[in-house]
Amino acid sequence: MINSITSLNFTKNMSRESWVNLLLLVVIVSVPIIATLMDEVYYVNLSTRIIIIAMAAVGLNFALGFGGMVSFGHAAFFGLGGYVAGIAAFHSFEGTLFLGLIPASDQMLLIWPVALLGAAMIALLIGAISLRTQGVYFIMITLAFAQMIYYFSISLTTYGGEDGLSIILRNNFAIGNSNNPLHFFALCFFALLMSLWLSHRMVGSRFGAALTMAKLNETRLATAGIEPYSIRLVAFVVSAMITAFAGALFADLNGFVDPSMLSWHRSGEIIVIVVLGGVGRLFGPIAGAIAFVLLETFLGGFTDRWQLFLGLVLLGVVLFARGGLIGLMTGNARHG
Amino acid sequence: MVDSIMRIQKLYKSFGALKATDDVSLDLRKGEIHALIGPNGAGKSTLISQIAGSLKPDSGQIFLDGEDITQLSVAARAVKGLGRCFQVSSLAMPLSVRRNVMIASQAITGSSFRFWKAVESDKALIAAADEAIDMVGLLDRADEPASYLSHGERRQLEVGCALALKPKLLLLDEPMAGLGAGGSERLTGLLESLKLDIPILLIEHDMDAVFRLADRISVLVYGQIVAQGTSHKIRHDPLVREAYLGSSDLDVTGEVYD
Ligand SMILES: Nc1ncnc2c1ncn2[C@@H]1O[C@H](COP(=O)(O)OP(=O)(O)O)[C@@H](O)[C@H]1O
Ligand SMILES: [Mg+2]
């Protein structure tokens, strides 16, 4: 009796969440198409911005939402991806060699693997050390590592130091024209879909089952014969790679990369987006990114104190809607 | 050493000035239930934690099947066949009964670094978990969240999680505590049926259950083993009766199961 009622509720909520997810995708795709038809390039790029920031949050959500690891250093990976794209574009444009040794490419299909590999290696290092701690110490140590990388980026005088680096010619993708705003949007949208699909598959896999258990009850996981540390470490690396991918796209969108991409403000923003959208909800980052970028753009154009309103919204979500915006829309404020 | 599956040798563990484990040596033999009894605070749970690996002893060794496992992690010991149940249930409450058990099946049926195939449709994994769930009599509740289970059912579920590891032995910390008479009876039956395949180190306060189940008993007081022997010997040990068991109670229960 009880069993059948709950399983019924469960399927009902699931399908409702799927509808909400689909709606989000439809909105996010139709806006740039309509904007293109109306010749409003600004809104195409705004949509692309939302998509990319959502993808950065999809990365963090994998570690934070599904693995319970509150990383306060994900901007480091975002910025790392950005700098890989920026530095590649810089050397290709100048026709110079990276470190005087390695020829650069302006092909995204070559740049991305480098960004992903770089992020994976650095995340492995940061994770291996940070994951020996938990709770507030983990938050602080990831922040500390990110700050180190932030200051390192400032010291890169070849690449503009504190002023950053302009990407004069956007890097190229194998098909389409990356300089066409709608083409570039489509590319980013596809990347976002890939990251969502990857998250979804991984959360449902054996690895995901272990990761979920690491979040809910680490003792149970270890007693069941699986090392929580290694599960978390791999999840942290995957999470960093997704965020770095988003960073590479972000640099090409803006035609610019500077150390602020790696600042702790940025790390905080990504956390805010995950929490706003719904921690551990697959599409939470999209809802969060839409809300965040819209507040930033429209309220930010209106007053410099827009973050005050962001703070109020966040407070409301944390106090009254633990499932975030997705939880509100599905009427299901499941555990967070 | 005759046929012991697990052996502890000269184990010491102090918390500050408190000697929680003080020169403890004992072994668990194939086919037996070895009960560990003693008053609250004697160091029984602390000893189990050291065997399971969640606490490191100050000195001494723990052997599983002849192999020194003293330096291994909790997870490594579990994979090698140490099944453990906690004094206070440790489950993932929001997850279903099946999901709680599946994680143990997962550990022994291959790598957890498989990122693609959905566990929901992994028939072998589900079958392995259901077998363990069935053994503890929870199969009809397998889809419910663990939080829906009664206290007693949660204890059963923990035993199920341990069984899913297909362990070489079980470490059970007061599994009967808080189970009603019926639940206690059922679990006693289960343990009895298991012991030939899976020897059990059993901490238990319910003396009826202990004397019914245990082949051997060790009595722990202030971190030290003060008496060790067959169930019969311990029951009639005047020192044990005086120091710990309380002689009058014992005669009654003693008669019943003699
Ligand atoms: N982590 C710990 N730190 C300090 N003292 C502890 C710790 N764990 C247990 N103790 C102490 O060690 C003694 C033995 O505890 P425990 O093993 O739980 O006893 P039992 O399970 O036999 O009731 C108790 O006095 C307890 O307070
Ligand atoms: Mg105890």
Side-chain angles (χ1 to χ4, degrees):
Chain A
M1 177 70 179
I2 294 171
N3 191 2
S4 64
I5 289 171
T6 53
S7 59
L8 229 108
N9 269 338
F10 186 63
T11 43
K12 194 177 123 211
N13 283 335
M14 275 319 282
S15 66
R16 188 156 166 197
E17 186 160 339
S18 308
W19 281 112
V20 167
N21 294 346
L22 193 66
L23 183 76
L24 283 171
L25 289 184
V26 168
V27 168
I28 206 87
V29 170
S30 42
V31 168
I33 292 176
I34 295 167
T36 303
L37 293 175
M38 295 171 66
D39 243 359
E40 292 273 7
V41 174
Y42 174 79
Y43 289 101
V44 182
N45 287 334
L46 189 69
S47 305
T48 310
R49 184 181 169 83
I50 290 176
I51 291 290
I52 294 173
I53 289 179
M55 188 174 161
V58 168
L60 179 65
N61 197 30
F62 194 68
L64 194 161
F66 298 114
M69 291 170 272
V70 185
S71 163
F72 201 176
H74 260 49
F77 307 121
F78 193 61
L80 185 99
Y83 266 93
V84 171
I87 290 170
F90 172 78
H91 284 295
S92 313
F93 185 74
E94 305 251 299
T96 49
L97 298 175
F98 175 62
L99 298 175
L101 290 171
I102 306 161
S105 164
D106 65 351
Q107 289 301 315
M108 291 178 182
L109 287 176
L110 283 173
I111 293 168
W112 293 341
V114 174
L116 292 179
L117 204 68
M121 273 162 26
I122 291 185
L124 196 63
L125 196 79
I126 294 179
I129 297 168
S130 309
L131 286 168
R132 301 199 175 277
T133 67
Q134 282 190 342
V136 74
Y137 298 100
F138 178 79
I139 298 176
M140 286 301 125
I141 200 165
T142 48
L143 171 65
F145 275 116
Q147 286 301 95
M148 284 165 57
I149 299 174
Y150 169 75
Y151 285 110
F152 177 72
S153 76
I154 287 182
S155 75
L156 293 173
T157 43
T158 324
Y159 306 118
E162 213 162 345
D163 298 329
L165 183 64
S166 286
I167 299 176
I168 295 163
L169 287 178
R170 192 177 272 176
N171 293 305
N172 290 310
F173 189 68
I175 46 172
N177 171 11
S178 65
N179 285 301
N180 174 316
L182 194 59
H183 286 198
F184 189 65
F185 170 86
L187 184 64
C188 295
F189 183 68
F190 185 68
L192 174 71
L193 286 185
M194 292 294 291
S195 71
L196 287 171
W197 189 48
L198 187 81
S199 290
H200 172 68
R201 289 303 299 239
M202 286 182 58
V203 168
S205 73
R206 276 171 169 252
F207 177 76
L211 185 62
T212 306
M213 196 54 93
K215 169 182 144 180
L216 291 175
N217 189 337
E218 173 183 24
T219 308
R220 168 61 38 218
L221 184 64
T223 308
I226 300 169
E227 296 289 356
Y229 177 80
S230 27
I231 295 289
R232 287 204 182 100
L233 183 56
V234 171
F236 187 76
V237 170
V238 169
S239 157
M241 289 168 79
I242 297 173
T243 300
F245 196 162
L249 294 171
F250 199 66
D252 268 324
L253 171 69
N254 297 331
F256 183 69
V257 34
D258 74 347
S260 77
M261 234 178 128
L262 299 93
S263 78
W264 65 272
H265 297 98
R266 177 69 70 184
S267 292
E269 279 172 19
I270 307 176
I271 296 179
V272 165
I273 288 165
V274 169
V275 173
L276 204 58
V279 175
R281 298 298 184 104
L282 187 63
F283 279 63
I286 299 182
I290 292 175
F292 184 90
V293 173
L294 291 186
L295 279 173
E296 177 188 50
T297 307
F298 296 109
L299 225 50
F302 184 62
T303 161
D304 280 345
R305 301 203 177 81
W306 71 276
Q307 298 226 353
L308 181 69
F309 294 94
L310 176 69
L312 288 175
V313 172
L314 193 63
L315 207 62
V317 163
V318 171
L319 289 179
F320 304 113
R322 292 289 301 280
L325 296 174
I326 294 282
L328 275 180
M329 286 187 279
T330 56
N332 167 19
R334 182 178 71 190
H335 70 93
Chain B
M1 271 298 142
V2 282
D3 261 2
S4 58
I5 189 81
M6 193 266 300
R7 187 160 57 86
I8 302 169
Q9 199 170 292
K10 291 189 170 303
L11 218 59
Y12 289 86
K13 177 79 193 176
S14 299
F15 298 113
L18 178 80
K19 290 177 174 169
T21 307
D22 189 2
D23 191 17
V24 171
S25 299
L26 61 78
D27 71 330
L28 182 66
R29 297 176 191 158
K30 286 180 181 154
E32 79 166 347
I33 292 183
H34 186 153
L36 187 62
I37 62 174
N40 272 327
K44 305 182 296 294
S45 296
T46 301
L47 187 62
I48 293 278
S49 293
Q50 291 170 85
I51 300 171
S54 51
L55 243 146
K56 291 269 171 276
D58 296 338
S59 67
Q61 272 113 41
I62 301 156
F63 297 90
L64 177 65
D65 234 356
E67 180 192 357
D68 187 343
I69 59 164
T70 320
Q71 302 306 325
L72 297 185
S73 69
V74 173
R77 293 180 202 203
V79 171
K80 285 195 182 291
L82 266 173
R84 178 199 192 175
C85 294
F86 293 85
Q87 183 168 0
V88 178
S89 294
S90 183
L91 299 161
M93 289 301 170
L95 298 186
S96 70
V97 166
R98 183 175 285 120
R99 276 306 189 100
N100 271 281
V101 178
M102 267 165 79
I103 201 77
S105 306
Q106 180 172 318
I108 59 156
T109 57
S111 169
S112 286
F113 293 100
R114 291 196 200 154
F115 300 93
W116 213 244
K117 188 179 173 193
V119 282
E120 292 293 345
S121 56
D122 191 332
K123 295 222 173 58
L125 196 58
I126 292 171
D130 281 0
E131 190 188 326
I133 298 171
D134 196 22
M135 284 173 87
V136 294
L138 287 174
L139 202 51
D140 56 332
R141 313 201 56 185
D143 292 314
E144 289 176 50
S147 58
Y148 283 26
L149 300 185
S150 70
H151 172 78
E153 289 163 335
R154 289 178 194 177
R155 312 273 9 198
Q156 284 166 263
L157 175 53
E158 271 224 358
V159 176
C161 291
L163 289 176
L165 277 173
K166 301 210 182 296
K168 286 184 185 148
L169 63 101
L170 283 176
L171 308 169
L172 304 183
D173 198 345
E174 301 195 23
M176 318 273 181
L179 298 191
S184 217
E185 184 64 28
R186 221 174 308 133
L187 191 55
T188 305
L190 174 66
L191 299 188
E192 238 168 2
S193 71
L194 284 176
K195 74 169 189 181
L196 283 182
D197 295 322
I198 310 172
I200 300 167
L201 183 63
L202 175 72
I203 296 181
E204 190 45 65
H205 274 307
D206 177 347
M207 285 304 147
D208 289 352
V210 167
F211 286 127
R212 177 167 154 199
L213 283 169
D215 300 285
R216 288 190 302 149
I217 299 177
S218 294
V219 184
L220 198 69
V221 180
Y222 292 124
Q224 290 182 321
I225 292 187
V226 297
Q228 191 168 57
T230 61
S231 191
H232 182 84
K233 181 187 152 207
I234 296 296
R235 192 185 308 170
H236 299 285
D237 184 326
L239 265 173
V240 174
R241 295 169 84 165
E242 199 179 325
Y244 169 59
L245 292 170
S247 48
S248 58
D249 286 357
L250 196 65
D251 280 341
V252 178
T253 55
E255 296 302 330
V256 172
Y257 293 109
D258 246 340

